[in-house]
Amino acid sequence: MADDLPISIAERRLDNVPNYPDRHEPVGFMLRLIKALHTYGVPSYELERLMTNVADQLGYGLQATVVPTSITMTFIQDEDKPRTYVIRSNSGEVNVDKLSRTIDVAYAVINDEITTEQGAKELTEITNSAPLHSKSWMILCFMLVSTAICRIFGGGIPEIITASVTGLVVGVFVNVGGLRSETVSNLMPALSAFLATLISFAFNYWIGLSSTYIPVVSGIIVLVPGMMLTIAMAELATQNLVSGTARLLGSVVIFIQMIFGVAIGAQLAALFFGEASITTMIDHQLPRWTVWIAILVSSWSLMMLFQVRSRHLPWIVITTASSFFVSRWAGAELGAATGAFFGALTVGVFANLAYRIKQVPTAAVMMPGFIILVPGSVGFRSLTEILDHNIIGGLESAFNMIIVGISLITGLLISSIATLPKPKIKTEPLEVEATATKIIEKDDE
């Protein structure tokens, strides 16, 4: 970053904070390790458990409190007075490759395979390493994910064309425009929803759409905080109440921003294209086998977006297709909540199998598999219905979203019965649960 550009508090490097321990010292290493893991989206219950094991190996007592916007760590050693450090850090990029490599560093220290000085050097290399997939690929994958999700949601040819254009425009905006200003980045959900709504109504005016809702939600599906909402519920279920509540409210704020963008987009579209409203009617006009092509395309695209190594694609496709089939079948037979439960259970089981058989990072399998299961689109629909003054329908959709979210978490918690093999630790074995964002893993470099 250039010297003349302002640096936000959340982005400030610990190396530049006065009086912080050097990164080569044990405490300095642990501070930077937890900040890196927090940045890559590790939930509180996993992060606190892992850091406690690192601190035990290095001879420190540790009390850690992690919430989505900050980290508090208190270190205790022998007769020294406790030392407390507070780190301002927002959860940042989703990068499974860097996450997995950072986890490897943590376990290498736990197993006494490397020193904290070597670990600190590796953390620097990981942070400074280039992404596996470039921004050009990210923009393309935004478009492909939007196209595939539109078909999975039941869109026809006009809706798919609209969703493709929407995904391309949003992808360019997110990957280019959103990086130039922190204010624009904070308003990204609202601005993206505004663009998606305007494009959807424009195509409805030009070619006619059975549903204006499907292209909108498909175009911004990557930004819909369904995964964030699911993690929040998992943290609440594991008694991490402060972190879970904060993350839950954060997801609600993002939903509200998106609905505000939809409202402004609809008002502006009405000026250009006449009276316009969000319609949700689905027109099934494509063969059912096209859904499986959409799943394959979305699996590959999500692999790129989440920065997963290409060799893990077969497991991602198998997991995504299996969870989709199971959730749809169970949903048709037993209801949406039961379908979500069995879908999540399927994702958890396949993530465990992938780790056991090929040492595939579980985050690499779970995150793409969850995109078609998380209740984000349901929450978005509930707010659009409220926006259209359909209060009863909106509240019903919101209630369904909560039930689906609880079902997902329950399915993942039960899938932890198929326990992952534990990394070999020379001290006490670390118990690991396969939960909504299972990230304690070892990547096969």
Side-chain angles (χ1 to χ4, degrees), residues 228-240:
M228 183 179 181
L229 181 65
T230 304
I231 294 174
M233 292 183 176
E235 290 180 333
L236 292 173
T238 54
Q239 298 302 305
N240 288 268

Side-chain angles (χ1 to χ4, degrees), residues 270-330:
L271 294 177
F272 293 109
F273 312 117
E275 187 66 28
S277 62
I278 294 289
T279 58
T280 59
M281 183 179 65
I282 297 176
D283 183 11
H284 296 283
Q285 55 180 294
L286 295 178
R288 295 188 62 180
W289 55 265
T290 57
V291 173
W292 301 107
I293 295 179
I295 290 176
L296 180 62
V297 171
S298 64
S299 298
W300 181 81
S301 302
L302 292 170
M303 176 198 73
M304 304 288 285
L305 289 173
F306 293 148
Q307 299 292 331
V308 180
R309 294 186 179 274
S310 300
R311 63 175 175 269
H312 302 321
L313 178 60
W315 282 103
I316 295 174
V317 173
I318 292 172
T319 302
T320 304
S322 300
S323 62
F324 175 80
F325 173 79
V326 170
S327 63
R328 286 296 175 95
W329 174 81

Side-chain angles (χ1 to χ4, degrees), residues 345-364:
L345 184 64
T346 302
V347 171
V349 169
F350 273 94
N352 287 340
L353 288 175
Y355 184 86
R356 286 182 182 273
I357 297 172
K358 285 293 186 179
Q359 296 290 289
V360 178
T362 49

Side-chain angles (χ1 to χ4, degrees), residues 372-440:
I372 61 174
L373 297 179
V374 292
S377 60
V378 181
F380 186 81
R381 175 179 293 182
S382 70
L383 292 178
T384 56
E385 288 177 342
I386 292 176
L387 184 66
D388 286 339
H389 305 290
N390 183 9
I391 307 300
I392 301 301
L395 293 177
E396 182 179 358
S397 296
F399 179 76
N400 290 336
M401 175 191 69
I402 295 173
I403 296 300
V404 170
I406 294 173
S407 300
L408 289 172
I409 297 304
T410 305
L412 279 177
L413 291 176
I414 292 179
S415 73
S416 66
I417 295 175
T419 311
L420 291 179
K422 311 299 188 297
K424 295 180 180 178
I425 302 176
K426 295 181 180 179
T427 55
E428 293 182 1
L430 174 64
E431 294 297 326
V432 181
E433 296 178 353
T435 53
T437 53
K438 185 72 194 89
I439 44 74
I440 296 180

Side-chain angles (χ1 to χ4, degrees), residues 21-32 54 58 60 75 77 116-117:
D22 187 85
R23 65 170 44 248
H24 302 300
E25 299 175 7
V27 171
F29 165 75
M30 286 188 283
L31 290 172
R32 288 158 178 83
V54 174
L58 298 177
Y60 287 84
F75 298 94
Q77 188 180 38
T116 56
E117 184 173 354

